Amino acid sequence: MDTSIRNLPAVAQRPQQSGPQEPPVATEFSGWTVYIGAGSSNIPSLPPTHSLLDLPGPDYSCLPSACTSIANNPGTDLVSGDNLPATFKRCLLRLNEAYDTNFSELADTLSYCVPMSSAKAPFWNIFHEVIDLPSLESNSSQKIRETGQKIHQLYIDEHDVLATKNAYSRISELTIVLCLHFLEQKFILEHPEPIQQSSVDVTRSDEASTDCQHLLPARVIKTFFEKLLSGIDKSGRADAGIRVKKFIKDNQPGLKKDMRLQQPATGHLKFSGLRYDDIPGATVAKLYHSELSDHSRNFSIDLYGLIEALGQTQSRSWPPVTHDPLHCAIHRVAYETYKPKLEPINFFKNRLEPFRDRNARTLLELIEYFRNRFAWKHRNGPTREAPEMGEKYNVVHQALQESSAGIGQGSRTMKDELRRFLELCCTNNTRVKQRLESFFNKT
């Protein structure tokens, strides 16, 4: 397949807002020309292209779903994986129903425990009580290690950036959902078959079900609250401890202590069936899957892999100590396209957006930008020369101009343009630049 930008594949355009009619845009599709706009049928075809052919790339027509469950939930009889968007509200509601405990209220309670002076909020300690890396690395189960490491990386990627934005409500939700999901998966993986009474380290109460497998959800919630309280204690936040103990006292149904055995009531508890891909930010939102798959196939580039390679591009400190490549890239596109809605202050206005969705939206916008830029340039001649864009962008301005000027000169592909453009936008962000170099050198 010719994946050069001259031979642009026929992929669906994203819907545009209605507005004034723009001049027709020429776009080439694998050997013939299509003009978009009123009266375009009378416009003559462009001359044939003579770009160099790339070697056939991998077939992305059957890409595996970006949403992959880390572990099954045997015996839960719960159905998950619908097409509704992943939200923390939905995650918490599922946990509420399964454990008869108002985790939504708990998240709200913890969200008031913001950092005081230089100390961290208790979320960090709570999370690392549940997912203790030394214990995780020594676990004999590879699946449990992989699950914990994946959840730990997601938390690291999101936590610090959210903290710089004082988004403690979101950090609270993230902490509770990830901790409970890990504990569910851990107990399920440790006991894949129905367990015997002798292997259970808690004794069944008289009111509990005779099926000892039902004790596992009770162990999940019991372990969670033990780790929750110990994490708060390690953070030195007595105020948070008082709030959580009051929450436990007020939430008797799911957390009721057995009068003899001092354990949660077990008969009515169950696993939530929550999957890794049900958690916001764990995978790319389903909204973008179709376009990403189409572009991956037509341009022979693994956009899902590129999203992961970019990773969290935002600085984890305030003020930022590293440059955000996506901020620079979108600023450039906004200037070249005369679209204020693409200015970073507008394009990235959702400060809680997970980085995978942020990366996906940016890459889709860049692909559309390169396609349209070539079409306009081929039809109307070179685009305007951009003036100086401020001290923040002076470092890469000239290089970006040189990169953009070469679009459509024959051997350049969409992959080439994305690589050059993104790497130039990295400036002092060597961490992201190294990840990009590693990705492109392997593909």
Side-chain angles (χ1 to χ4, degrees):
M1 179 194 306
D2 184 355
T3 58
S4 66
I5 296 180
R6 277 187 174 277
N7 288 342
L8 296 175
V11 296
Q13 294 288 330
R14 277 182 286 172
Q16 302 292 329
Q17 295 181 345
S18 59
Q21 291 292 328
E22 297 182 352
V25 178
T27 309
E28 296 176 302
F29 295 85
S30 301
W32 64 87
T33 302
V34 176
Y35 283 84
I36 304 170
S40 60
S41 59
N42 296 325
I43 302 177
S45 298
L46 292 176
T49 61
H50 302 284
S51 60
L52 298 177
L53 293 176
D54 290 335
L55 293 175
D59 182 9
Y60 294 101
S61 59
C62 299
L63 278 172
S65 171
C67 296
T68 305
S69 178
I70 283 185
N72 295 323
N73 294 326
T76 61
D77 295 327
L78 293 175
V79 178
S80 61
D82 54 40
N83 291 320
L84 295 176
T87 65
F88 280 108
K89 181 179 180 181
R90 294 186 66 218
C91 292
L92 291 169
L93 287 175
R94 293 182 69 168
L95 292 167
N96 294 353
E97 180 183 359
Y99 294 99
D100 199 9
T101 301
N102 195 339
F103 289 105
S104 303
E105 181 185 335
L106 177 60
D108 186 58
T109 298
L110 287 175
S111 68
Y112 289 99
C113 303
V114 300
M116 296 184 298
S117 67
S118 60
K120 282 185 178 291
F123 311 115
W124 183 266
N125 297 86
I126 293 167
F127 179 81
H128 285 90
E129 278 291 286
V130 174
I131 301 185
D132 177 55
L133 286 182
S135 299
L136 184 65
E137 291 169 0
S138 62
N139 195 293
S140 59
S141 169
Q142 180 181 353
K143 193 70 174 177
I144 290 177
R145 291 197 305 272
E146 291 174 352
T147 301
Q149 289 163 358
K150 200 166 188 177
I151 291 173
H152 183 268
Q153 188 59 54
L154 174 61
Y155 192 78
I156 296 300
D157 286 332
E158 297 292 348
H159 175 277
D160 290 352
V161 171
L162 290 172
T164 63
K165 300 171 182 176
N166 297 323
Y168 298 108
S169 294
R170 177 54 59 89
I171 297 175
S172 179
E173 295 171 339
L174 180 72
T175 303
I176 291 173
V177 169
L178 289 183
C179 286
L180 281 166
H181 174 69
F182 173 74
L183 289 174
E184 283 192 334
Q185 299 302 302
K186 182 175 183 291
F187 282 115
I188 290 169
L189 289 166
E190 287 177 340
H191 303 281
E193 301 297 333
I195 57 179
Q196 300 300 317
Q197 181 69 42
S198 59
S199 67
V200 183
D201 61 5
V202 293
T203 307
R204 177 175 56 84
S205 67
D206 292 339
E207 296 179 355
S209 167
T210 57
D211 183 356
C212 296
Q213 189 74 22
H214 288 189
L215 290 174
L216 290 180
R219 291 177 63 187
V220 167
I221 197 170
K222 184 175 190 295
T223 302
F224 171 75
F225 277 95
E226 287 175 347
K227 299 293 186 183
L228 177 68
L229 290 170
S230 62
I232 290 174
D233 184 60
K234 287 185 177 180
S235 69
R237 295 294 298 273
D239 60 320
I242 293 171
R243 287 178 180 272
V244 171
K245 289 174 183 176
K246 183 178 184 304
F247 170 83
I248 294 174
K249 181 179 178 181
D250 294 342
N251 280 262
Q252 287 299 308
L255 303 176
K256 180 174 59 179
K257 296 291 185 76
D258 185 286
M259 296 303 292
R260 273 187 310 120
L261 304 173
Q262 291 294 296
Q263 71 181 52
T266 60
H268 61 291
L269 302 183
K270 59 187 178 182
F271 290 117
S272 69
L274 189 68
R275 304 179 309 162
Y276 182 73
D277 47 285
D278 295 326
I279 301 171
T283 58
V284 180
K286 297 174 185 178
L287 172 67
Y288 308 116
H289 286 189
S290 177
E291 275 190 288
L292 289 170
S293 297
D294 286 344
H295 287 322
S296 292
R297 178 180 62 252
N298 292 322
F299 292 117
S300 290
I301 179 172
D302 179 10
L303 290 177
Y304 291 103
L306 182 53
I307 287 169
E308 296 298 322
L310 281 166
Q312 179 63 274
T313 64
Q314 299 178 82
S315 177
R316 296 174 181 173
S317 61
W318 186 259
V321 295
T322 56
H323 192 76
D324 182 357
L326 300 190
H327 189 281
C328 174
I330 286 299
H331 181 96
R332 170 72 178 184
V333 171
Y335 183 86
E336 289 289 337
T337 58
Y338 300 92
K339 294 180 179 178
K341 68 179 182 180
L342 296 182
E343 280 291 349
I345 193 173
N346 299 318
F347 192 77
F348 298 128
K349 65 181 178 181
N350 179 6
R351 65 193 185 102
L352 302 181
E353 183 178 32
F355 79 86
R356 288 183 172 87
D357 292 350
R358 186 175 187 264
N359 294 358
R361 286 197 309 116
T362 304
L363 289 176
L364 291 173
E365 200 63 54
L366 291 180
I367 288 173
E368 182 173 342
Y369 164 68
F370 284 124
R371 288 164 52 105
N372 291 341
R373 183 181 174 88
F374 170 72
W376 275 103
K377 186 172 183 178
H378 202 63
R379 175 83 176 99
N380 300 324
T383 57
R384 63 177 177 174
E385 292 294 323
E388 294 298 326
M389 298 162 62
E391 183 178 353
K392 188 174 183 181
Y393 298 95
N394 285 344
V395 178
V396 296
H397 176 69
Q398 184 175 356
L400 288 174
Q401 286 287 64
E402 294 171 357
S403 172
S404 299
I407 295 177
Q409 290 184 351
S411 62
R412 302 283 289 281
T413 67
M414 183 65 74
K415 188 185 298 184
D416 296 329
E417 294 303 331
L418 286 174
R419 176 173 188 167
R420 288 169 60 87
F421 194 78
L422 289 171
E423 288 183 354
L424 286 167
C425 286
C426 283
T427 60
N428 73 329
N429 198 328
T430 56
R431 178 173 52 88
V432 175
K433 190 170 185 178
Q434 288 171 354
R435 292 202 301 258
L436 287 172
E437 289 175 347
S438 176
F439 169 79
F440 284 111
N441 289 338
K442 291 177 182 178
T443 59

